[in-house]
């Protein structure tokens, strides 16, 4: 039966008369996959509900934060309680250190940290801190890695930027981006060459230790170790952007999974339990360069917001208490989904490269192994778009772009595996 879209379409048209493209974040407009973006009325556990009465299995989890499922009762209760005491103080409260303590427990490399309101701010501020601490200008990032939409980091930035085929963005002056060196991911020689070409001038490397924003791309064996060695050799800082991977790949993120200690770490998404929240931190000696202790300025009216702290505390407390069951469980369910559909694609003669680490994965519509942005870009995005539409019609909402990771949370169980395999069997045979 065709999916009803009447109400969502009307809401989209209304939104378009006030918001560019009808959205506040470009990927939500579904331009890469076509069709009407459903307007969500509410969500619970692993499911989203739209204005036309459709129910969808959620495979993007608000782009990562919803690892415990939507409307997770302890988080809802914590937000209620906090909201009754006022949504914001603009002054210090105990919740900030409470959440900070939980973060440092999960991430031993983070001795001191500061809360902000988004992953974008966390990465932008971490770069400023790295430049302030080292007194150097250049930043190395990698093609297909997304570190938010700040000017200096919007160079070959994957994700929405890749989805729309824009190399960077209009409105970013060359002068702003000229100290950003964008290199291919998984290529240590490119990094060696950059250090040789800019002796004593590179402040830091910022990297998604497991790429999520070009679709899922794991680090090659020895790659992260190589970045750690090279940054040490050249006196540059290593920043792990764990906005997506933090609390997801393990309680301590990718750095704990791969056993690498970065100098600075950026966090977002899960850390705020679905409320606007990010954080950046690392060795105390570096982070203490921030004002009011040091010369690097950084501030925020809503930073450490009491609602965000409360939702983050409820989320992290649950993850910490149940880590021994949660992480193996979501790994098993994700493997069943990712590998199950990969097997169906093989049966149907559809070329698919499946990349998965823990509870994040991507089905690339290509026969080529995907190890960096160039190989991700060999994907047949038209075939992905067709698959996406068929899955949505069957009640499974995948991230609406080939260059994004899908996420599984604790609300996904064996029933959801069956649902998605059933839907994919049909979608792949169309
Ligand atoms: C989502 C994301 C960001 C940006 O976070 P926002 O909260 O959207 O600003 C930065 N880095 C990575 C790795 C991300 O996945």
């Amino acid at each position: 039966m065709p999916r009803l879209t009447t109400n969502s379409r009307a809401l989209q048209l209304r939104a378009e008369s006030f918001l560019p493209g009808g959205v506040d974040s470009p990927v939500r407009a579904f331009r890469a996959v076509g069709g009407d973006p459903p307007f969500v009325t509410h969500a619970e556990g692993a499911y989203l509900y739209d204005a036309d009465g459709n129910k969808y299995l959620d495979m993007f989890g608000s782009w990562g934060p919803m690892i415990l499922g939507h409307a997770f009762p302890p988080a809802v209760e914590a937000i209620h309680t906090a909201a009754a005491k006022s949504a914001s103080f603009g002054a210090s409260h105990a919740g900030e250190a409470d959440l900070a303590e939980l973060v440092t427990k999960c991430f031993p490399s983070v001795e001191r940290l500061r809360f902000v309101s988004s992953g974008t701010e966390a990465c932008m501020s971490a770069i400023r801190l790295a430049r302030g601490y080292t007194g150097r200008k250049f930043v190395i990032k990698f093609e297909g890695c997304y570190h938010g939409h700040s000017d200096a980091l919007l160079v070959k930035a994957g994700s929405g930027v890749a989805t729309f085929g824009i190399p960077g963005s209009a409105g970013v002056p060359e002068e702003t981006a000229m100290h950003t060196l964008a290199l291919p991911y998984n290529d240590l020689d490119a990094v060696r060459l950059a250090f040789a070409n800019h002796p004593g001038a590179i402040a830091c490397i910022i990297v998604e230790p497991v790429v999520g924003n070009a679709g899922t791309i794991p680090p090659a064996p020895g790659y992260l170790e190589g970045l750690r060695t090279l940054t040490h050799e050249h006196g540059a800082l290593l920043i792990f952007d764990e906005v997506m991977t933090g609390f997801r790949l393990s309680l301590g993120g990718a750095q704990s999974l791969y056993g690498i200690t970065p100098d600075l770490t950026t966090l977002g998404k899960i850390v705020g339990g679905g409320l606007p929240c990010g954080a950046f931190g690392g060795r105390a000696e570096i982070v203490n360069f921030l004002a009011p202790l040091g010369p690097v300025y950084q501030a925020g009216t809503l930073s450490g917001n009491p609602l965000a702290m409360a939702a983050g505390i409820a989320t992290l407390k649950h993850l910490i208490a149940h880590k021994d069951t949660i992480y193996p469980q979501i790994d098993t369910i994700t493997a069943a989904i990712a590998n199950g559909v990969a097997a169906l694609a093989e049966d149907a003669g559809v070329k698919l490269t499946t990349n998965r680490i823990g509870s994040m994965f991507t089905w690339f519509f290509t026969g080529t192994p995907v190890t960096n942005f160039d190989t991700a870009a060999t994907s047949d995005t038209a075939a992905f778009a067709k698959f996406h539409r068929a899955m949505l019609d069957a009640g499974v909402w995948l991230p609406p772009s080939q260059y994004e990771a899908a996420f599984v949370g604790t609300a996904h169980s064996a029933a959801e595996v069956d649902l998605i395999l059933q839907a994919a069997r049909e979608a792949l045979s169309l």
Side-chain angles (χ1 to χ4, degrees):
M1 209 175 70
R3 183 170 57 95
L4 285 173
T5 59
T6 322
N7 294 338
S8 282
R9 184 171 298 163
L11 289 166
Q12 172 70 20
L13 285 175
R14 177 169 187 272
E16 282 173 12
S17 56
F18 298 106
L19 310 166
V23 295
D24 286 313
S25 201
V27 75
R28 297 179 196 167
F30 270 45
R31 293 289 161 93
V33 292
D36 295 308
F39 268 59
V40 176
T41 54
H42 62 289
E44 194 183 343
Y47 292 91
L48 294 160
Y49 299 82
D50 78 3
D52 291 285
N54 300 302
K55 175 183 178 182
Y56 306 93
L57 174 58
D58 179 4
M59 294 302 296
F60 62 105
S62 186
W63 302 95
M66 292 301 162
I67 192 166
L68 299 177
H70 290 281
F72 176 63
V76 172
E77 198 190 313
I79 295 167
H80 268 291
T81 306
K85 298 177 185 170
S86 178
S88 181
F89 310 133
S92 296
H93 63 104
E96 297 165 272
D98 290 344
L99 183 56
E101 185 177 9
L102 295 175
V103 171
T104 59
K105 237 184 214 161
C106 301
F107 285 81
S109 76
V110 178
E111 296 169 354
R112 297 275 188 286
L113 67 153
R114 176 160 287 170
F115 288 111
V116 289
S117 298
S118 68
T120 295
E121 278 180 87
C123 296
M124 181 181 80
S125 306
I127 297 284
R128 185 180 305 148
L129 178 57
R131 283 171 162 162
Y133 177 79
T134 59
R136 299 173 174 188
K137 282 185 187 164
F138 283 90
V139 171
I140 291 177
K141 78 173 288 286
F142 299 100
E143 294 166 5
C145 286
Y146 180 66
H147 306 293
H149 60 88
S150 72
D151 284 356
L153 291 171
L154 211 50
V155 179
K156 305 216 167 159
S159 196
V161 188
T163 305
F164 296 101
I166 315 170
S169 167
V172 178
E174 261 167 54
E175 291 81 354
T176 314
M178 68 189 259
H179 293 115
T180 305
L181 308 170
L183 309 179
Y185 183 77
N186 268 337
D187 180 349
L188 287 174
D189 283 336
V191 179
R192 279 187 201 101
L193 191 64
F195 276 116
N197 288 340
H198 302 277
I202 294 174
C204 63
I205 292 180
I206 185 165
V207 63
E208 287 183 71
V210 171
V211 183
N213 286 291
T216 307
I217 306 177
Y223 179 64
L224 298 175
E225 290 82 349
L227 295 181
R228 182 64 282 186
T229 305
L230 285 167
T231 41
H232 272 151
E233 275 174 23
H234 294 277
L237 300 184
L238 180 61
I239 306 175
F240 271 13
D241 178 353
E242 300 235 35
V243 169
M244 187 182 286
T245 53
F247 313 105
R248 173 161 293 280
L249 296 186
S250 77
L251 197 56
Q255 54 194 265
S256 148
L257 191 65
Y258 292 97
I260 311 284
T261 306
D263 300 297
L264 294 173
T265 297
T266 59
L267 298 167
K269 299 191 169 118
I270 292 173
V271 77
L275 271 82
C277 183
F280 65 105
R283 287 213 313 277
E285 165 215 352
I286 303 171
V287 181
N288 287 346
F289 256 62
L290 286 175
L293 297 184
V296 177
Y297 190 70
Q298 193 284 331
T301 302
L302 297 177
S303 294
N305 174 266
L307 272 60
M309 298 298 106
I313 290 164
T315 302
L316 294 198
K317 270 192 176 160
H318 189 83
L319 288 171
I320 291 168
H322 302 281
K323 66 177 190 313
D324 294 338
T325 50
I326 285 177
Y327 291 98
Q329 178 203 327
I330 57 179
D331 184 82
T332 303
I333 295 286
T334 315
I337 292 171
N339 301 340
V341 172
L344 292 173
E346 195 167 336
D347 290 348
V350 174
K351 287 202 176 95
L352 210 63
T353 292
T354 303
N355 281 359
R356 178 186 77 87
I357 303 240
S359 61
M360 62 188 267
F361 71 96
T362 301
W363 294 304
F364 293 97
F365 280 71
T366 176
T368 309
V370 175
T371 57
N372 57 22
F373 184 69
D374 284 349
T375 44
T378 65
S379 300
D380 180 346
T381 51
F384 170 81
K386 193 175 147 208
F387 179 68
H388 187 278
R389 286 194 294 273
M391 293 296 278
L392 195 68
D393 284 341
V396 177
W397 190 338
L398 299 170
S401 162
Q402 174 71 91
Y403 304 109
E404 300 285 1
F407 301 106
V408 167
T410 55
H412 295 71
S413 66
E416 282 70 38
V417 177
D418 291 345
L419 177 67
I420 196 165
L421 293 187
Q422 184 94 20
R425 194 171 285 119
E426 293 219 359
L428 289 166
S429 65
L430 289 178

